[in-house]
Amino acid sequence: MNKNIQRGLAAVGALVTATGAMAAGPDMSGLTGAVDFGTVTTAVLAIAGLLAVVYVAVKGAQVGLAMIRK
């Protein structure tokens, strides 16, 4: 059998074995239960909103200046 095929089969076997062992996944509920993501989500959305306003203002200024130049 070709060495590349043997290596490929060994890699697939290792991947299948590792995937089966971690199928359930670790229990992180103790860590994630104590964290409130509501305030983080609000902050991220507020920053995204501010950036959107800046981008719209810049685009509006570009369009306005393009109209004046013509």
Side-chain angles (χ1 to χ4, degrees):
M1 199 185 270
N2 191 352
K3 286 185 180 182
N4 290 333
I5 293 174
Q6 288 177 345
R7 289 180 187 159
L9 290 175
V12 169
L15 182 64
V16 169
T17 303
T19 305
M22 292 297 290
D27 183 21
M28 297 289 184
S29 61
L31 293 172
T32 58
V35 179
D36 179 26
F37 291 107
T39 54
V40 174
T41 304
T42 304
V44 169
L45 289 175
I47 292 169
L50 289 173
L51 288 174
V53 168
V54 169
Y55 291 142
V56 167
V58 168
K59 187 63 175 177
Q62 288 175 347
V63 169
L65 290 173
M67 288 180 183
I68 292 172
R69 288 182 190 148
K70 289 185 179 184

